Amino acid sequence: MSCEEYNTLIHGYLDGELDLLSTLRLEAHLPECASCAQAYGSHRALRSAMSSGKLNFKPPNELAERIHLSLHQASKAERVASLSVWEALKPMRWRISWPSMSIAAAAVLVAMVAWRLGSVASRPSPDDLLAQEVLSSHVRSLMANHLTDVPSSDRHTVKPWFDGKVDFSPPVKDLSGDGFPLVGGRLDYLEDRPVAALVYQRRKHFINLFVWPSAEDSRLKTVMRQGYNLFHWTQSGMTYWAASDLNSTELQEFVRLVQGHDGRIP
Amino acid sequence: MAEPNTLTHFEAALLPHLAAAYNLARWLARNDHDAEDLVQEAYLRAFKAFDSFHGGDGRGWILAIVRNTCYSWLQQNRNQELAQVFDEELHTVEGHSRSPEAMLLRNADAQLLRDALEKLPVEFREILVLRELEGMSYREIADLAGIPVGTVMSRLARGRERLQRQLTHPVNKEA
């Protein structure tokens, strides 16, 4: 075997990728050949200098968020496109290749304009995206049998549980006297940050109350999605989202109690 | 595939590899701004192709898509950079740098090393990044780049030789 061939094997050897036979040959050759031994030494030094981690480029913090948002939009656009408009458009596109097509062409044009307008109008706002995220978290908490991390009806158990898990102290109220017993708390993840999820109950309906600090100021808004009611507001530097399949009237009553409009704030 | 659940699965499986994806794109594109755009585009492509991902090596899967995205971009924007590689393949390995300075690499400044690596032709650069920075095995690199395992080793050998030469006798002409 020539030194040139050994010089390639050195790399497999350094990387721990060489078969046994070649390893034995190389190990026999190195002590006998000063030139190959030196090459081995310098490549080994280069390897350790390179694998120190100093050469890695770190993604900027906002990149994950940017990708997250673009995926949400793509996911939403996909859902819109898979609805009937797209299906209706396909056969019309096909017809356009036929001679007597002016009517079909006009129809296509109208459909396309309508579709473009529709997609512009349905471009999700950050609030829409967040609402979808909140709803997904709510549904997931019910499906995955992971409603609470700390099952307790005692707010003095639930509130301190969040210490050290989130960088704020969520306000936890006891609303059992108003027919909304506390079920427990859970750590959840929204808008790329850990948030507190407080779980309350009304009869058979669960309510997820998501809380996290926010500089924004927002009045009470309500959204109805896929049969769920969502209420959203900010108060004293905290953002609140309440999600439930409970009817809108009772959920609003819950929201007012959380907001402290009954005057019995603990 | 467009259910919110799918998106959650996708993100859980592939966002953890964002650092590796960005690192590869950054080394291939050689600037921050394009690297960010390319990674974003790669994640969108990956999401649309998520049906074809059957679990397993998420990092290898997303890196292959990042690599394809970057190569398409290089083809459009820096065609001469890719063409150069074929000349490189014809070159035989010249005499190795035997200078004692080579042994001083242990203390080599990270910036010097970074500059030298940036000057390598893209095919050597990417294999070195995958091996040394991402710690991937020859097999994983071979699958990702679609080349035989033997070629991975010979390119690593050539790439490291060139890097040694760059560091001991810096000539700012390559790539």
Side-chain angles (χ1 to χ4, degrees), chain A residues 4 15 18 31 37 43 46 55 63 89 105 113-114 136 140 142 147 160 171 178 181 186 194-195 223 238 245 255 262:
Chain A
E4 199 182 315
D15 294 324
L18 213 53
H43 284 311
L46 178 65
L55 297 184
L63 184 59
L89 212 59
V113 167
S136 300
R140 207 164 41 235
L142 299 174
L147 192 57
D178 300 290
R186 184 181 76 250
V195 305
V223 193
M238 295 281 189
D245 61 343
V255 167
D262 62 347

Side-chain angles (χ1 to χ4, degrees), chain A residues 50 53-58, chain B residues 19-32 34-36 38-39 66 70-71 73-74 78 81 110-130 132-134 163 175:
Chain A
M50 285 189 78
K54 285 180 198 158
L55 297 184
N56 286 65
F57 287 102
K58 309 274 183 303
Chain B
Y22 179 76
N23 188 42
L24 179 62
R26 177 62 181 74
W27 276 108
L28 292 180
R30 295 195 290 195
N31 77 75
D32 296 342
D34 289 324
E36 287 171 39
L38 287 165
V39 170
V66 168
C70 290
Y71 266 81
W73 178 83
L74 283 172
R78 305 207 193 140
E81 196 171 318
Q111 191 54 46
L112 278 178
L113 211 48
R114 196 179 285 238
D115 291 347
L117 185 55
E118 280 218 324
K119 290 193 179 88
L120 282 194
V122 64
E123 297 215 358
F124 297 120
R125 201 189 320 143
E126 74 169 352
I127 306 279
L128 278 164
V129 166
L130 294 173
E132 311 286 35
L133 277 58
E134 295 300 335
L163 210 49

Side-chain angles (χ1 to χ4, degrees), chain A residues 175 180 200 207 209 242 250-258:
Chain A
L175 304 173
F180 294 100
Y200 292 86
I207 304 167
L209 180 66
E250 281 181 283
L251 189 59
Q252 183 153 19
E253 184 192 337
F254 169 79
V255 167
R256 291 179 61 81
L257 290 166
V258 172

Side-chain angles (χ1 to χ4, degrees), chain B residues 69-161:
Chain B
T69 309
C70 290
Y71 266 81
S72 312
W73 178 83
L74 283 172
Q75 234 150 29
Q76 281 167 18
N77 297 282
R78 305 207 193 140
N79 216 352
Q80 75 286 5
E81 196 171 318
L82 291 178
Q84 187 190 17
V85 173
F86 297 104
D87 299 338
E88 297 297 335
E89 295 285 1
L90 295 174
H91 277 277
T92 49
V93 179
E94 298 160 31
H96 321 290
S97 109
R98 296 275 178 269
S99 58
E101 306 100 280
M103 299 302 287
L104 297 177
L105 271 172
R106 233 173 247 104
N107 310 316
D109 187 284
Q111 191 54 46
L112 278 178
L113 211 48
R114 196 179 285 238
D115 291 347
L117 185 55
E118 280 218 324
K119 290 193 179 88
L120 282 194
V122 64
E123 297 215 358
F124 297 120
R125 201 189 320 143
E126 74 169 352
I127 306 279
L128 278 164
V129 166
L130 294 173
R131 171 64 231 168
E132 311 286 35
L133 277 58
E134 295 300 335
M136 293 177 83
S137 72
Y138 285 12
R139 179 77 259 162
E140 289 172 316
I141 297 172
D143 288 347
L144 199 160
I147 53 176
V149 171
T151 308
V152 174
M153 182 158 73
S154 60
R155 276 198 199 156
L156 267 175
R158 290 243 259 356
R160 285 176 179 149
E161 294 288 352

Side-chain angles (χ1 to χ4, degrees), chain A residues 164-243:
Chain A
K165 297 186 179 68
V166 291
D167 55 1
F168 58 96
S169 182
V172 183
K173 291 189 181 177
D174 180 0
L175 304 173
S176 56
D178 300 290
F180 294 100
L182 183 64
V183 179
R186 184 181 76 250
L187 193 62
D188 214 307
Y189 205 74
L190 288 170
E191 284 206 310
D192 292 320
R193 58 158 302 144
V195 305
L198 306 170
V199 186
Y200 292 86
Q201 192 172 6
R202 177 118 215 198
R203 297 185 304 276
K204 296 278 180 196
H205 306 277
F206 288 105
I207 304 167
N208 263 295
L209 180 66
F210 299 94
V211 188
W212 67 95
S214 147
E216 285 168 41
D217 201 29
S218 167
R219 290 155 129 215
L220 186 63
K221 286 179 196 153
T222 167
V223 193
M224 167 115 186
R225 271 200 193 192
Q226 297 160 34
Y228 294 94
N229 285 303
L230 304 175
F231 281 81
H232 161 223
W233 74 98
T234 58
Q235 186 180 0
S236 317
M238 295 281 189
T239 284
Y240 293 80
W241 280 84

Side-chain angles (χ1 to χ4, degrees), chain A residues 3-4 7-18 34-80 82 132-133 136 139-140 143 192 226, chain B residues 1-5 7-8 10-11 15 18-19 22-23 26-27 32-33 35-40 43-44 47-48 92-93 96-100 102-106 108 110-111 113-114 117-118 128-129 131-134 136-139 149-150 153-154 156-161 163-164 167:
Chain A
C3 278
E4 199 182 315
N7 260 296
T8 303
L9 292 187
I10 281 172
H11 298 274
Y13 184 68
L14 276 170
D15 294 324
E17 297 262 0
L18 213 53
S35 140
C36 285
Q38 191 175 8
Y40 171 72
S42 55
H43 284 311
R44 198 175 58 173
L46 178 65
R47 262 215 74 191
S48 67
M50 285 189 78
S51 53
S52 65
K54 285 180 198 158
L55 297 184
N56 286 65
F57 287 102
K58 309 274 183 303
N61 290 334
E62 63 278 8
L63 184 59
E65 177 66 16
R66 192 176 134 188
I67 290 173
H68 177 72
L69 285 176
S70 73
L71 287 171
H72 260 293
Q73 287 191 354
S75 164
K76 182 145 183 164
E78 191 105 5
R79 260 171 301 173
V80 170
S82 65
Q132 191 62 44
E133 233 186 308
S136 300
V139 172
R140 207 164 41 235
M143 277 184 358
D192 292 320
Q226 297 160 34
Chain B
M1 66 147 278
E3 296 302 310
N5 270 347
L7 182 56
T8 310
F10 174 82
E11 293 193 329
L15 275 186
L18 181 61
Y22 179 76
N23 188 42
R26 177 62 181 74
W27 276 108
D32 296 342
H33 184 76
E36 287 171 39
D37 287 352
L38 287 165
V39 170
Q40 182 178 357
Y43 268 90
L44 278 172
F47 181 53
K48 284 171 186 152
T92 49
V93 179
H96 321 290
S97 109
R98 296 275 178 269
S99 58
M103 299 302 287
L104 297 177
L105 271 172
R106 233 173 247 104
Q111 191 54 46
L113 211 48
R114 196 179 285 238
L117 185 55
E118 280 218 324
L128 278 164
V129 166
R131 171 64 231 168
E132 311 286 35
L133 277 58
E134 295 300 335
M136 293 177 83
S137 72
Y138 285 12
R139 179 77 259 162
V149 171
M153 182 158 73
S154 60
L156 267 175
R158 290 243 259 356
R160 285 176 179 149
E161 294 288 352
L163 210 49
Q164 298 274 11
L167 287 164

